[in-house]
Amino acid sequence: LSAIFEKEGRTLLNKNHETDEGFNLRDWIIKQRQNKRNLTSEKMKRLDSIGFIWNVREYQFEQGFSHAQEFVKEKSHALIHKDLITKNGFNLGGWTTNQRSRKNILSPEQIKRLDSIGWIWSVFAYKWEEGFSHLASYKEEFGDCRLAQKTKHRDYNLGDWVRTQKANKDKLIPERIKRLDALGFVWKVR
């Protein structure tokens, strides 16, 4: 393991890794993690000295979180596309998708940290709220929610969003229908 660390600068192996002598290093690494409590302090110090990763999930969370923070700092939002690969090759889109789907097993501290950077747990909900916000702004500006199908409001395709709401009314949750009704949403044009 120390030879790999010296050569590649890492101790996290993504797949089975056999040495030239046929020793399965990945299995050995897994055993060290599982037997951490039984290792001598000398063995732990040696592993720590080469950056041994004791908790892979924690490590991967920290790596992804660091990239997510950079993204938010650069873009001023946390709407990370599922296919985004960072300039240095990190699969931030995949990491983001994982965090969204694993919210129920993330620690409260991890959730709090993600929330602190404006994390978007549901892209669908975020985009719905974005459309609703534009519609509310449009109504404030023009006095009603009647608009043409091709209407753009502040570079947002509001006409498309409205058409989608009308076409999917039976799939909308009651709370969203109530919010649209309260705004004066026109479901059918006479």
Side-chain angles (χ1 to χ4, degrees), residues 165-178:
Q165 304 319 299
K166 290 177 182 181
N168 295 301
K169 183 179 181 183
D170 59 327
K171 296 176 187 169
L172 289 175
I173 59 173
E175 178 216 345
R176 289 186 176 156
I177 293 172
K178 284 180 189 173

Side-chain angles (χ1 to χ4, degrees), residues 36-151:
K36 181 179 180 182
R37 284 185 235 141
N38 300 326
L39 295 177
T40 65
S41 61
E42 179 59 33
K43 287 180 181 179
M44 288 183 67
K45 283 179 190 174
R46 287 179 64 198
L47 289 169
D48 287 339
S49 73
I50 60 169
F52 188 80
I53 297 163
W54 294 101
N55 186 323
V56 176
R57 280 200 173 150
E58 223 173 79
Y59 173 81
Q60 290 171 334
F61 178 86
E62 292 304 326
Q63 292 289 300
F65 185 76
S66 174
H67 286 283
Q69 279 183 306
E70 285 178 40
F71 177 90
V72 170
K73 186 176 179 180
E74 185 180 315
K75 304 286 186 183
S76 300
H77 67 78
L79 186 58
I80 300 168
H81 191 275
K82 65 182 177 66
D83 296 325
L84 179 67
I85 306 292
T86 64
K87 293 172 191 163
N88 64 354
F90 184 80
N91 185 352
L92 184 56
W95 181 86
T96 297
T97 300
N98 264 341
Q99 304 322 297
R100 288 177 180 147
S101 67
R102 296 174 60 234
K103 184 178 182 182
N104 61 331
I105 61 172
L106 292 175
S107 73
E109 178 62 25
Q110 288 171 326
I111 291 170
K112 185 177 177 181
R113 288 176 66 200
L114 289 167
D115 286 342
S116 76
I117 62 169
W119 191 252
I120 296 167
W121 292 102
S122 167
V123 174
F124 179 78
Y126 174 84
K127 288 187 175 190
W128 193 90
E129 290 298 335
E130 180 183 35
F132 184 83
S133 176
H134 277 281
L135 184 62
S137 177
Y138 179 91
K139 181 183 179 183
E140 190 174 304
E141 196 173 325
F142 298 103
D144 62 35
C145 294
R146 291 178 181 269
L147 51 114
Q149 192 170 350
K150 302 258 186 220
T151 300

